[in-house]
Amino acid sequence: MLDFLFIYEHINRELDSLCFLKVLLEDMGYSVELMNSQDYSQDYRKKEKQPKVVGIFSVYNENSIRYYATACANNRTKIFNFQWEQIFSKTDIDSGFVTPKGMQKEIVQLCWGEYSQKRLTDAGVKNAPITGAMHLDFLTNQLEGYYKNKDTIKDEYLISSDKILLYISSFSFAAMNEIERKTMDKIMGSSNSELQEHEIKQKNVILDYLSTFAREHKEYTVVYRPHPGERTDCILEKLSLEIPNFRIIYDESVKQWIKIADNIVLSNSTTIVEAFFSNKNCVCLRPFGLETEYDAMFYENCRYVNNYEDLEQCIISGCLSFPIEVDEIAKYYDRKVFGHSCKATAEVLENLIQTNKLDTNIPMDHATIKTILKRFIHLFVYKHNIRLDFLPNSVYIKKWLNNYWYFRKKVQYEIASQETIDSICHKIRSILKNENTHTC
C-alpha cells in the first residue's frame, strides 16, 4: 500500500510545497505520490496503490471528503485538509461557507496560525495543529537558489525592459460564465452575482491604470499575473497585443515572480504575505476603496491608493510603509514555524499515519452514492469523449458539456507529469544537500 497520497488543485500554488513535503517524508521512510484533483489516469482503489492517508487541497463541504476518499481509498481511511486557503472575507465567515460541518470536524485540518486554529476548534474541529504555511518556506535562506534569477526569467519570457512591475490578480469571479458562477453559488450557499459585478467594475479601472503605466513607462514591463481560477478575457488579450510591455503570464509560481519583481501591485490578494516576507515594495490599489464585505479580513485597515497619480508615485518612489501591519499578518501566520513549516507538517503526518485512531468513516448513504455517481459520469464523459455537437447550444445538457470540456481543457494545464514532479524533488534534494554541506 501507498503511505500518502496528496491531491492538489493548482500547480503554481501547491506543487513546489508538496514536492518539498514529499522529499521530507520519503527521507523518513514513507512512500508518497501526488495527484491532481481531476486526473483520471491513476486508479488508487487498487489494493497495491491504496493510500493509508489522503491529503485534500481544500474541504469546504462533506462532498469533497466523499468524492476524493471514495475515488482514492476505501470508506474508512485517514484524511487531512491542507487548507490552501485560510484567509477569508467577512462574507465567507458570516455565510457559514467555511464553517466545518459533519465529517469536516473529524478530519485533521492543518493551520497556518492561531486565527485558523481558533476558528476551527470553536466550530468543533478536534484536530487542528498549527504547522505554518508551507509555501513560505521557499522564501527563506534554506531554499536559496530554488527560484530562477531575474535575468533568466527575462530571457525565457523575452522581457527587454529593465524593470518588472508585477500585478497579482484576485479576480476569480470576473470572467466566469453563468454556469460557472451558479456552480460556485451552489457550493458557497449564497449568490455571488454582486461580487462578480464588483470585480468586473474594479478590474476594468485597474486595467486602465496598468495599461496607462505601461504606455508611459517603457522602462517597465507590466506582468499581469491572473488568479489560478481566472479566465483570460478579451480586454486582457487586447491590451497584451496592443502594448508590447504589457504581458499576461500564467506560468511559474507567484513566488517566483515576487522574487524577481521590482514592484508589486495588488488589490485583494492574500499573496501580499509573500510580498511582505520577500521585503518587496508593494502597493495596494483600490479604486473604489475598501470593501469589507468582500475583502480578506486582514485588509480591513490596510493602507491603499485609489487613483493613478498616487499609484505611479508609489511605484516610482516607493511606498512609505507596507500596506498591512505586521501584527495583523502575525494573527494568521505563525512566525515561530516560519521557514520550518514543511518539516512541522511532516511530523504531524507521521503522527497521523502511526496512530490507530483518526480514521474517517464514510457512510455509504444517499449523499455518498450520489457523489460516486457524479464522479462516474465525469469519468465516462471524459473517457468516451462525449460532446453531443448535434444538439443546439440552448439545451441544458449541451451547455453542461460545453462547460465541462472547457473546464477539462483548463485542467489539463494543472496536471503535472511525473517527470516534472521528480525534477522538482531532485532540485530540492540538491539544494538541501548543499545547505547541509555548508552547515557542516
PDB file of all heavy atoms in Angstrom, residues 92 113 147 173 203 235 251 273 278 281-282 315 334-335 338:
ATOM      1  N   ASP A  92     -17.558  35.273   3.731  1.00  0.00           N
ATOM      2  CA  ASP A  92     -17.274  33.836   3.817  1.00  0.00           C
ATOM      3  C   ASP A  92     -17.565  33.299   5.216  1.00  0.00           C
ATOM      4  O   ASP A  92     -18.137  32.217   5.378  1.00  0.00           O
ATOM      5  CB  ASP A  92     -15.801  33.557   3.481  1.00  0.00           C
ATOM      6  CG  ASP A  92     -15.460  33.832   2.030  1.00  0.00           C
ATOM      7  OD1 ASP A  92     -16.363  33.710   1.182  1.00  0.00           O
ATOM      8  OD2 ASP A  92     -14.298  34.170   1.749  1.00  0.00           O
ATOM      9  N   GLY A 113      -1.794  29.398  11.381  1.00  0.00           N
ATOM     10  CA  GLY A 113      -1.576  30.193  12.586  1.00  0.00           C
ATOM     11  C   GLY A 113      -2.734  30.076  13.556  1.00  0.00           C
ATOM     12  O   GLY A 113      -3.657  29.274  13.378  1.00  0.00           O
ATOM     13  N   TYR A 147      14.566  29.308  -6.936  1.00  0.00           N
ATOM     14  CA  TYR A 147      13.936  30.093  -7.993  1.00  0.00           C
ATOM     15  C   TYR A 147      14.967  30.632  -8.981  1.00  0.00           C
ATOM     16  O   TYR A 147      16.137  30.832  -8.656  1.00  0.00           O
ATOM     17  CB  TYR A 147      13.139  31.250  -7.383  1.00  0.00           C
ATOM     18  CG  TYR A 147      11.944  30.774  -6.606  1.00  0.00           C
ATOM     19  CD1 TYR A 147      11.879  30.938  -5.224  1.00  0.00           C
ATOM     20  CD2 TYR A 147      10.895  30.130  -7.239  1.00  0.00           C
ATOM     21  CE1 TYR A 147      10.781  30.481  -4.505  1.00  0.00           C
ATOM     22  CE2 TYR A 147       9.790  29.669  -6.532  1.00  0.00           C
ATOM     23  CZ  TYR A 147       9.749  29.843  -5.175  1.00  0.00           C
ATOM     24  OH  TYR A 147       8.675  29.374  -4.467  1.00  0.00           O
ATOM     25  N   PHE A 173     -13.828  35.735 -10.051  1.00  0.00           N
ATOM     26  CA  PHE A 173     -15.231  35.696 -10.472  1.00  0.00           C
ATOM     27  C   PHE A 173     -15.504  36.528 -11.721  1.00  0.00           C
ATOM     28  O   PHE A 173     -16.505  36.308 -12.403  1.00  0.00           O
ATOM     29  CB  PHE A 173     -16.142  36.207  -9.345  1.00  0.00           C
ATOM     30  CG  PHE A 173     -16.410  35.191  -8.279  1.00  0.00           C
ATOM     31  CD1 PHE A 173     -15.559  35.076  -7.192  1.00  0.00           C
ATOM     32  CD2 PHE A 173     -17.508  34.350  -8.359  1.00  0.00           C
ATOM     33  CE1 PHE A 173     -15.805  34.139  -6.205  1.00  0.00           C
ATOM     34  CE2 PHE A 173     -17.763  33.416  -7.373  1.00  0.00           C
ATOM     35  CZ  PHE A 173     -16.900  33.299  -6.293  1.00  0.00           C
ATOM     36  N   LYS A 203     -11.835  45.598 -11.900  1.00  0.00           N
ATOM     37  CA  LYS A 203     -10.830  45.105 -12.839  1.00  0.00           C
ATOM     38  C   LYS A 203     -10.669  46.049 -14.027  1.00  0.00           C
ATOM     39  O   LYS A 203      -9.539  46.328 -14.457  1.00  0.00           O
ATOM     40  CB  LYS A 203     -11.214  43.707 -13.326  1.00  0.00           C
ATOM     41  CG  LYS A 203     -10.213  43.067 -14.276  1.00  0.00           C
ATOM     42  CD  LYS A 203     -10.648  41.662 -14.649  1.00  0.00           C
ATOM     43  CE  LYS A 203      -9.653  41.006 -15.595  1.00  0.00           C
ATOM     44  NZ  LYS A 203     -10.058  39.610 -15.935  1.00  0.00           N
ATOM     45  N   ILE A 235     -10.515  41.788 -23.011  1.00  0.00           N
ATOM     46  CA  ILE A 235      -9.855  43.063 -22.696  1.00  0.00           C
ATOM     47  C   ILE A 235      -8.379  42.826 -22.400  1.00  0.00           C
ATOM     48  O   ILE A 235      -7.499  43.552 -22.900  1.00  0.00           O
ATOM     49  CB  ILE A 235     -10.542  43.744 -21.494  1.00  0.00           C
ATOM     50  CG1 ILE A 235     -12.001  44.060 -21.825  1.00  0.00           C
ATOM     51  CG2 ILE A 235      -9.801  45.014 -21.092  1.00  0.00           C
ATOM     52  CD1 ILE A 235     -12.801  44.612 -20.652  1.00  0.00           C
ATOM     53  N   ASP A 251       2.432  31.197 -16.272  1.00  0.00           N
ATOM     54  CA  ASP A 251       3.487  30.247 -15.931  1.00  0.00           C
ATOM     55  C   ASP A 251       4.292  30.687 -14.703  1.00  0.00           C
ATOM     56  O   ASP A 251       4.354  31.872 -14.388  1.00  0.00           O
ATOM     57  CB  ASP A 251       4.438  30.059 -17.117  1.00  0.00           C
ATOM     58  CG  ASP A 251       3.746  29.458 -18.325  1.00  0.00           C
ATOM     59  OD1 ASP A 251       2.729  28.774 -18.124  1.00  0.00           O
ATOM     60  OD2 ASP A 251       4.213  29.684 -19.455  1.00  0.00           O
ATOM     61  N   VAL A 273       1.154  38.535   1.551  1.00  0.00           N
ATOM     62  CA  VAL A 273       2.008  37.993   2.612  1.00  0.00           C
ATOM     63  C   VAL A 273       3.356  37.559   2.045  1.00  0.00           C
ATOM     64  O   VAL A 273       4.408  37.793   2.658  1.00  0.00           O
ATOM     65  CB  VAL A 273       1.304  36.825   3.330  1.00  0.00           C
ATOM     66  CG1 VAL A 273       2.228  36.161   4.332  1.00  0.00           C
ATOM     67  CG2 VAL A 273       0.050  37.323   4.024  1.00  0.00           C
ATOM     68  N   SER A 278       9.137  38.728   1.436  1.00  0.00           N
ATOM     69  CA  SER A 278      10.202  38.911   0.440  1.00  0.00           C
ATOM     70  C   SER A 278      10.766  40.323   0.465  1.00  0.00           C
ATOM     71  O   SER A 278      11.625  40.671  -0.344  1.00  0.00           O
ATOM     72  CB  SER A 278       9.669  38.607  -0.965  1.00  0.00           C
ATOM     73  OG  SER A 278       9.244  37.267  -1.069  1.00  0.00           O
ATOM     74  N   ASN A 281       8.691  46.207  -2.310  1.00  0.00           N
ATOM     75  CA  ASN A 281       7.846  47.392  -2.365  1.00  0.00           C
ATOM     76  C   ASN A 281       6.491  46.973  -2.926  1.00  0.00           C
ATOM     77  O   ASN A 281       6.391  46.446  -4.033  1.00  0.00           O
ATOM     78  CB  ASN A 281       8.486  48.457  -3.262  1.00  0.00           C
ATOM     79  CG  ASN A 281       7.619  49.704  -3.370  1.00  0.00           C
ATOM     80  OD1 ASN A 281       7.062  50.170  -2.379  1.00  0.00           O
ATOM     81  ND2 ASN A 281       7.484  50.234  -4.578  1.00  0.00           N
ATOM     82  N   CYS A 282       5.442  47.178  -2.159  1.00  0.00           N
ATOM     83  CA  CYS A 282       4.124  46.645  -2.507  1.00  0.00           C
ATOM     84  C   CYS A 282       3.075  47.738  -2.372  1.00  0.00           C
ATOM     85  O   CYS A 282       3.048  48.479  -1.383  1.00  0.00           O
ATOM     86  CB  CYS A 282       3.794  45.464  -1.592  1.00  0.00           C
ATOM     87  SG  CYS A 282       2.241  44.649  -1.962  1.00  0.00           S
ATOM     88  N   ILE A 315       4.971  53.512  -7.131  1.00  0.00           N
ATOM     89  CA  ILE A 315       5.819  52.605  -7.914  1.00  0.00           C
ATOM     90  C   ILE A 315       7.189  53.224  -8.152  1.00  0.00           C
ATOM     91  O   ILE A 315       8.220  52.577  -7.961  1.00  0.00           O
ATOM     92  CB  ILE A 315       5.148  52.259  -9.266  1.00  0.00           C
ATOM     93  CG1 ILE A 315       3.874  51.437  -9.034  1.00  0.00           C
ATOM     94  CG2 ILE A 315       6.119  51.477 -10.154  1.00  0.00           C
ATOM     95  CD1 ILE A 315       3.028  51.268 -10.281  1.00  0.00           C
ATOM     96  N   ASP A 334       1.897  31.923  11.707  1.00  0.00           N
ATOM     97  CA  ASP A 334       2.703  31.712  12.901  1.00  0.00           C
ATOM     98  C   ASP A 334       4.183  31.926  12.578  1.00  0.00           C
ATOM     99  O   ASP A 334       4.769  31.211  11.760  1.00  0.00           O
ATOM    100  CB  ASP A 334       2.485  30.285  13.422  1.00  0.00           C
ATOM    101  CG  ASP A 334       3.007  30.102  14.832  1.00  0.00           C
ATOM    102  OD1 ASP A 334       4.217  30.320  15.031  1.00  0.00           O
ATOM    103  OD2 ASP A 334       2.215  29.749  15.723  1.00  0.00           O
ATOM    104  N   ARG A 335       4.790  32.921  13.217  1.00  0.00           N
ATOM    105  CA  ARG A 335       6.195  33.237  12.944  1.00  0.00           C
ATOM    106  C   ARG A 335       7.145  32.206  13.548  1.00  0.00           C
ATOM    107  O   ARG A 335       8.291  32.066  13.113  1.00  0.00           O
ATOM    108  CB  ARG A 335       6.529  34.634  13.491  1.00  0.00           C
ATOM    109  CG  ARG A 335       5.780  35.769  12.833  1.00  0.00           C
ATOM    110  CD  ARG A 335       6.126  35.956  11.376  1.00  0.00           C
ATOM    111  NE  ARG A 335       7.486  36.390  11.185  1.00  0.00           N
ATOM    112  CZ  ARG A 335       7.858  37.672  11.124  1.00  0.00           C
ATOM    113  NH1 ARG A 335       6.946  38.625  11.217  1.00  0.00           N
ATOM    114  NH2 ARG A 335       9.114  38.007  10.949  1.00  0.00           N
ATOM    115  N   PHE A 338       7.926  29.730  10.914  1.00  0.00           N
ATOM    116  CA  PHE A 338       8.283  30.287   9.607  1.00  0.00           C
ATOM    117  C   PHE A 338       9.630  29.717   9.143  1.00  0.00           C
ATOM    118  O   PHE A 338      10.625  29.765   9.860  1.00  0.00           O
ATOM    119  CB  PHE A 338       8.368  31.814   9.675  1.00  0.00           C
ATOM    120  CG  PHE A 338       8.834  32.445   8.389  1.00  0.00           C
ATOM    121  CD1 PHE A 338       8.039  32.375   7.254  1.00  0.00           C
ATOM    122  CD2 PHE A 338      10.064  33.087   8.305  1.00  0.00           C
ATOM    123  CE1 PHE A 338       8.463  32.951   6.059  1.00  0.00           C
ATOM    124  CE2 PHE A 338      10.492  33.663   7.124  1.00  0.00           C
ATOM    125  CZ  PHE A 338       9.688  33.593   6.004  1.00  0.00           C
TER     126      PHE A 338
END
